[in-house]
Amino acid sequence: MELLNGFKNPFRSEYKRWVFLVGLVAISHLLFQSFLLPYGNALRSLLLPGIDDSIEGNYGNVVSPVRSGSKSVVVRNTLTINGSDFSTRDVILFNDGNGGGGVGISGRKIGDWVEKGVSNVIFDGNVDDDYASGNGEDLNENAVLEEVIRDQDNYVNATSRIEQVAKHGREVSIGELRDVNTTSQYPALSSMANPTPNAGSSFRSTSLQSDHTVSKSNSLMVVKPGKKKMRCEMPPKTVTTIDEMNRILLRHRRSSRAMRPRRSSIRDKEIFAAKSRIENGPVITNDQDLYAPVFRNVSLFKRSYELMEQILKVYVYKDGKKPIFHLPILKGLYASEGWFMKLMQGNKHFVAKDPRRAHLFYMPFSSRMLEYTLYVRNSHNRTNLRQFLKDYTETISAKYPYFNRTDGADHFLVACHDWAPYETRHHMEHCIKALCNADVTAGFKIGRDVSLPETYVRSARNPLRDLGGKPASQRHILAFYAGSMHGYLRPILLKHWKDKDTDMKILGPMPPGVASKMNYIQHMKSTKYCICPKGYEVNSPRVVESIFYECVPVIISDNFVPPFFEVLDWGAFSIILAEKDIPNLKDILTSIPQERYLALQLGVRKVQRHFLWHAKPERYDLFHMTLHSIWYNRVYQIKLR
């Protein structure tokens, strides 16, 4: 018995020591973690270590400064999302009003979060005050984009796996999201800020993580101070009239602002020679193909167009992965960039397989898919979108010798989203930009950049559906407008004219439904003048819609450069008014003589062919007009060594 007690006592003594040591380690861990995890997750990190996937092993130490008020706090904990709570609660990363980071995922289910590929997102706190959520006029855009995303590789599997995890009440960690999201397929999606110096990678990738823990029981809630007005909610500080734009274009033609290339190529010399051939070509007095009154100079245009067909070769970069690159969106509000991408990439006449034969270089990204894939909804922060394109530009400039030779002056992009001017600033500054948001106060360069028509395509299979309208004699409505109240200008229009005059059909948003859309179309087909006020930005799809339905567009948008401004005479088929003229709108329209209106309406019908997309491009259509304006501006800005 004494021998047995001798064995028990040492065992109990050792047991107590082990219990004491384990307890001491646990208490130390909790105390230590309480400093690093101030949101109540220390115990969970101890009891459920497998859920908190460490960032450090794959990405190194990640530290994010989060400013709240006047103090700065450094947080190092991992982002954890409660999947079961994701469909009903918002993930909030705040805007403190002082440049602090403000990122949120509002009203999106967890599958949508994976769709956007934002599991590796951190924001640097530089909130852009100019943010606006696009024009917001595309009623079908979400459905279109969901179809596009569903077509991507691994999307269904990724979403299914996340939903299965969430269904069982588990919390989804960064590690699990990283395993199933599309970052492995699209390595550039993790490139959000601060590029690494490795130019040889397919994209300069920096991997940054959001550092805030947001759980079902403990969400990060910060009260916003007074809301600051965004630029799109206020009238512009300066106004450039259409006459001033004309003078700027003439000055640019006389004295090019383009930089000389580091070394001239044979392609540069071919384009330079084309300028002389354009200016010394024959004068056209009566052309069967073109209606001269709608052009600034039909002789110059026709000669330039013919030389484009004979000479121009375009190299389309193959770098970049879907969905941001090489994936055209053919329906909705931003369809112009998608149709151009599709038709350019499939064109055998203009596309050069050998970049040494190319006069121009096309960077085929979609500004709409860039926003849809990388932007975190309601974050008011687009820094990562601009960084993504910066990384792409640095990649092609390191991989190929062409961008650096001219600082990008012989490169072009086609982008219709409102944010494209911001996203392409600085790193693509010398490129030719074909932009729907052609705003001279937002960096649009008249004579170099191209004002891209914003076309609302309702049917990707039949972009010409419902084309045309009633003849001038059957248009009994003087003016028509209906649409959402985006920006500061449209409420002013309705304040002066809604329900004020039977001749002025100025309405607010049309009710949803097919019947309402058809009513909208019939109004445009039956109206003399279609009012095209700016929305959040200067561009509006109503300009092209008016031409589509043969209604004379009345453009009310200060600082907006009309589409194909370098070759078209908009005074021949439209009315351009200053925003301050809204109170006098009816007087201005009724003062236009009938003969003048008939000439304008004829001009609309004649210019219509230049604003149409075709599945197989036709001469002088929208695809060729866009490419021609890019070519034409390059011809007039090129310089040689």
Side-chain angles (χ1 to χ4, degrees):
M1 184 66 67
E2 291 179 359
L3 183 61
L4 183 60
N5 289 335
F7 280 103
K8 286 183 178 181
N9 289 336
F11 177 79
R12 289 175 180 169
S13 177
E14 287 295 325
Y15 177 78
K16 290 179 181 179
R17 290 193 188 96
W18 277 110
V19 170
F20 174 79
L21 289 174
V22 170
L24 182 61
V25 170
I27 293 171
S28 301
H29 179 81
L30 290 174
L31 289 174
F32 180 72
Q33 290 285 9
S34 66
F35 290 102
L36 296 182
L37 302 175
Y39 304 112
N41 296 302
L43 183 60
R44 181 171 57 199
S45 70
L46 177 64
L47 299 179
L48 302 172
I51 291 178
D52 187 9
D53 184 61
S54 173
I55 306 172
E56 187 172 343
N58 294 315
Y59 297 99
N61 291 322
V62 179
V63 181
S64 173
V66 181
R67 292 185 291 275
S68 178
S70 60
K71 296 182 179 181
S72 179
V73 180
V74 176
V75 185
R76 290 178 180 266
N77 57 307
T78 315
L79 174 64
T80 307
I81 299 96
N82 189 329
S84 62
D85 193 38
F86 215 82
S87 62
T88 58
R89 298 186 62 160
D90 294 338
V91 176
I92 302 172
L93 302 182
F94 59 88
N95 174 4
D96 64 5
N98 297 311
V103 180
I105 301 173
S106 176
R108 285 186 177 266
K109 296 181 180 179
I110 195 158
D112 295 326
W113 201 61
V114 177
E115 272 187 338
K116 292 178 72 64
V118 295
S119 67
N120 294 337
V121 177
I122 189 172
F123 292 83
D124 65 359
N126 296 321
V127 179
D128 195 297
D129 291 331
D130 292 346
Y131 162 83
S133 58
N135 280 334
E137 299 178 23
D138 186 3
L139 302 177
N140 301 316
E141 192 71 2
N142 288 337
V144 174
L145 289 170
E146 286 172 6
E147 292 175 6
V148 171
I149 294 295
R150 278 196 291 269
D151 289 339
Q152 304 309 308
D153 296 337
N154 301 324
Y155 165 69
V156 174
N157 293 336
T159 306
S160 174
R161 181 172 169 186
I162 292 294
E163 289 176 345
Q164 287 295 321
V165 175
K167 184 177 179 181
H168 291 86
R170 287 180 53 203
E171 291 186 341
V172 184
S173 71
I174 285 292
E176 290 171 312
L177 288 173
R178 185 168 58 244
D179 288 341
V180 299
N181 86 1
T182 56
T183 304
S184 60
Q185 187 183 358
Y186 321 127
L189 296 188
S190 62
S191 175
M192 301 298 164
N194 302 329
T196 62
N198 182 13
S201 61
S202 61
F203 288 101
R204 299 175 190 271
S205 173
T206 56
S207 304
L208 298 173
Q209 300 285 346
S210 181
D211 298 349
H212 303 285
T213 299
V214 183
S215 68
K216 182 175 182 178
S217 60
N218 198 357
S219 296
L220 180 62
M221 303 295 292
V222 178
V223 178
K224 288 185 178 181
K227 183 181 178 182
K228 181 181 177 181
K229 273 196 172 184
M230 299 175 233
R231 184 180 64 86
C232 63
E233 298 174 322
M234 299 181 292
K237 295 179 181 179
T238 60
V239 176
T240 303
T241 65
I242 196 72
D243 290 335
E244 290 176 284
M245 293 180 188
N246 286 324
R247 288 193 289 270
I248 293 171
L249 180 63
L250 290 176
R251 285 200 306 269
H252 184 86
R253 289 288 179 259
R254 287 194 298 265
S255 177
S256 173
R257 294 173 295 181
M259 297 171 52
R260 285 185 171 84
R262 289 180 172 83
R263 61 184 183 282
S264 295
S265 70
I266 188 173
R267 308 306 165 199
D268 293 334
K269 295 175 182 177
E270 290 173 350
I271 295 181
F272 189 79
K275 178 181 177 181
S276 177
R277 296 173 66 184
I278 291 170
E279 294 179 339
N280 297 316
V283 176
I284 297 174
T285 55
N286 186 19
D287 188 86
Q288 299 298 319
D289 289 335
L290 300 171
Y291 184 63
V294 300
F295 290 93
R296 290 178 176 272
N297 187 319
V298 70
S299 300
L300 287 180
F301 171 78
K302 187 173 179 67
R303 186 61 177 150
S304 174
Y305 188 94
E306 290 172 345
L307 288 173
M308 177 190 75
E309 290 181 313
Q310 296 171 19
I311 297 173
L312 180 62
K313 293 297 179 183
V314 178
Y315 181 73
V316 181
Y317 281 108
K318 298 176 176 60
D319 302 75
K321 296 183 179 180
K322 297 179 180 179
I324 296 175
F325 297 89
H326 314 294
L327 183 64
I329 303 297
L330 304 180
K331 182 180 177 183
L333 186 63
Y334 308 102
S336 288
E337 65 180 24
W339 275 93
F340 183 88
M341 183 190 298
K342 169 184 166 60
L343 298 176
M344 187 76 257
Q345 290 184 320
N347 191 283
K348 295 181 179 179
H349 178 78
F350 292 110
V351 172
K353 295 182 179 180
D354 184 352
R356 292 172 296 182
R357 297 181 58 233
H359 303 89
L360 292 169
F361 297 80
Y362 173 41
M363 299 176 285
F365 71 90
S366 165
S367 61
R368 179 61 177 112
M369 290 308 298
L370 176 69
E371 178 265 343
Y372 189 79
T373 307
L374 295 186
Y375 178 70
V376 177
R377 193 173 180 180
N378 299 326
S379 68
H380 297 201
N381 191 313
R382 298 169 286 167
T383 305
N384 61 318
L385 280 67
R386 184 166 67 177
Q387 182 65 42
F388 179 90
L389 290 182
K390 181 176 183 293
D391 293 344
Y392 167 74
T393 305
E394 291 176 348
T395 297
I396 62 172
S397 64
K399 186 176 180 181
Y400 306 95
Y402 309 107
F403 191 95
N404 290 335
R405 188 182 69 84
T406 63
D407 287 328
D410 55 357
H411 286 56
F412 70 92
L413 59 96
V414 178
C416 201
H417 197 276
D418 288 349
W419 299 348
Y422 169 83
E423 295 162 355
T424 58
R425 197 179 299 168
H426 305 311
H427 48 279
M428 295 181 175
E429 194 55 39
H430 299 294
C431 300
I432 301 171
K433 304 177 185 180
L435 303 171
C436 289
N437 188 3
D439 185 349
V440 293
T441 65
F444 185 91
K445 299 294 189 299
I446 296 174
R448 183 201 68 187
D449 296 335
V450 174
S451 180
L452 178 69
E454 184 172 21
T455 56
Y456 190 108
V457 177
R458 288 180 167 81
S459 172
R461 293 185 178 181
N462 182 17
L464 304 183
R465 189 175 71 185
D466 299 322
L467 177 66
K470 294 181 179 180
S473 60
Q474 298 179 25
R475 292 177 177 264
H476 303 302
I477 304 172
L478 177 63
F480 169 69
Y481 168 79
S484 301
M485 294 295 98
H486 301 308
Y488 66 87
L489 188 66
R490 296 180 185 181
I492 296 174
L493 177 66
L494 264 66
K495 176 185 176 182
H496 284 280
W497 294 109
K498 187 176 187 296
D499 301 326
K500 299 292 177 64
D501 195 305
T502 55
D503 291 333
M504 306 285 286
K505 298 277 186 185
I506 308 299
L507 311 174
M510 301 285 279
V514 176
S516 178
K517 291 178 186 177
M518 293 307 299
N519 188 32
Y520 174 85
I521 292 172
Q522 289 306 314
H523 270 82
M524 297 197 83
K525 287 175 176 282
S526 307
T527 300
K528 290 183 177 180
Y529 298 99
C530 289
I531 311 303
C532 307
K534 67 180 292 184
Y536 284 126
E537 302 293 347
V538 294
N539 48 304
S540 169
R542 283 173 184 77
V543 176
V544 177
E545 276 187 327
S546 301
I547 297 171
F548 197 82
Y549 300 124
E550 299 175 0
C551 176
V552 177
V554 179
I555 302 173
I556 309 177
S557 179
D558 290 346
N559 300 314
F560 175 54
V561 182
F564 308 137
F565 183 70
E566 54 282 324
V567 294
L568 293 182
D569 178 8
W570 279 79
F573 56 93
S574 73
I575 302 295
I576 299 177
L577 299 180
E579 295 174 8
K580 63 182 177 60
D581 291 331
I582 285 179
N584 304 317
L585 182 56
K586 184 178 180 181
D587 290 341
I588 293 171
L589 296 180
T590 54
S591 68
I592 298 173
Q594 179 68 6
E595 295 79 8
R596 171 64 176 155
Y597 165 70
L598 293 175
L600 290 169
Q601 213 262 341
L602 175 61
V604 169
R605 297 202 310 272
K606 293 294 187 179
V607 82
Q608 184 187 73
R609 63 183 297 197
H610 305 305
F611 290 88
L612 302 179
W613 294 112
H614 299 91
K616 293 183 179 179
E618 299 179 3
R619 289 194 83 195
Y620 304 118
D621 69 356
L622 188 43
F623 168 73
H624 285 101
M625 289 293 290
T626 303
L627 187 60
H628 172 266
S629 283
I630 294 168
W631 148 268
Y632 191 71
N633 285 354
R634 177 59 181 159
V635 166
Y636 273 90
Q637 74 168 352
I638 194 167
K639 290 183 178 180
L640 298 180
R641 279 290 179 190

